Amino acid sequence: MTTTRLMSPEDAPVLAALLRSNRDFLAPWEPDREDSYFTEEGQLAVVRDALDWYEAGTHVPHVIVDDDGRVVGRITLSGIVRFSLQSASVGYWVSEHANGRGHATAALRSMIAVAFGDLGLHRIQAETLKHNAASQRILERAGFERYGLAPEYLRIAGRWQDCVMYQLINRDMA
């Protein structure tokens, strides 16, 4: 069964190896990255930053773990805003060898439970590149609804690209 858990500094070597082996696979969906990002030291810095943001209450950075206990990707609630918004954004990736096996969908459902249960949020937002049909299917399977198009929203693969906007509302929240 696919699970997620809070990332830790011990995940840096595995994340670095996954990112190096999936660099070409993930490149069309990611911002341009410096070579240092793909090193253990680079991932350790990423993990430490993410955990600092977790402590500050603005992020929940998890790794995605497959049935055999191997880390196969990441999923993060970010930009957590409290007060009248009670919202966060979600982003995720899964390695090529684990792609298409339901890991992202299961991880997303797990993070929905964190967002709406543990955090008591009202809304989760996600954005996908306009041509990322696979990610859109994952979001729709998890109950997200498409609500718009944001022109030139994210700088991905070296250029500003349009994104389809999705949201999931916690209808059980008073």
Side-chain angles (χ1 to χ4, degrees):
M1 178 175 172
T2 302
T3 61
T4 72
R5 63 166 171 75
L6 186 66
M7 71 169 56
S8 74
E10 291 76 29
D11 292 317
V14 172
L15 288 169
L18 270 178
L19 288 165
R20 280 192 306 275
S21 66
N22 285 276
R23 191 170 186 169
D24 292 338
F25 175 70
L26 295 173
W29 320 110
E30 291 281 316
D32 287 341
R33 308 277 191 190
E34 298 288 327
D35 288 339
S36 62
Y37 179 81
F38 299 90
T39 66
E40 286 184 32
E41 296 80 19
Q43 281 306 294
L44 185 57
V46 167
V47 170
R48 285 183 175 150
D49 286 346
L51 291 174
D52 286 346
W53 297 327
Y54 173 72
E55 290 300 319
T58 63
H59 286 63
V60 179
H62 278 207
V63 290
I64 302 170
V65 181
D66 72 7
D67 301 343
D68 297 322
R70 292 179 303 216
V71 173
V72 295
R74 279 195 53 190
I75 187 165
T76 301
L77 290 171
S78 62
I80 297 170
V81 178
R82 296 302 190 160
F83 307 107
S84 61
L85 190 58
Q86 297 294 329
S87 182
S89 292
V90 67
Y92 50 86
W93 62 265
V94 174
S95 65
E96 185 173 21
H97 80 275
N99 199 35
R101 297 183 181 171
H103 297 302
T105 302
L108 183 56
R109 288 182 176 139
S110 175
M111 290 305 274
I112 291 167
V114 169
F116 291 168
D118 299 346
L119 300 177
L121 297 178
H122 173 67
R123 177 179 178 275
I124 308 169
Q125 173 178 309
E127 28 315 288
T128 72
L129 295 181
K130 201 162 81 168
H131 59 280
N132 191 344
S135 192
Q136 292 168 25
R137 281 191 302 274
I138 290 165
L139 291 165
E140 289 166 0
R141 259 187 244 122
F144 281 71
E145 296 175 353
R146 180 181 173 152
Y147 73 92
L149 178 71
E152 299 180 33
Y153 187 72
L154 294 174
R155 187 165 175 82
I156 301 294
R159 62 188 176 88
W160 290 103
Q161 297 196 48
D162 298 347
C163 286
V164 178
M165 307 299 286
Y166 282 85
Q167 68 179 2
L168 181 64
I169 305 293
N170 182 357
R171 303 281 181 210
D172 295 330
M173 187 175 198

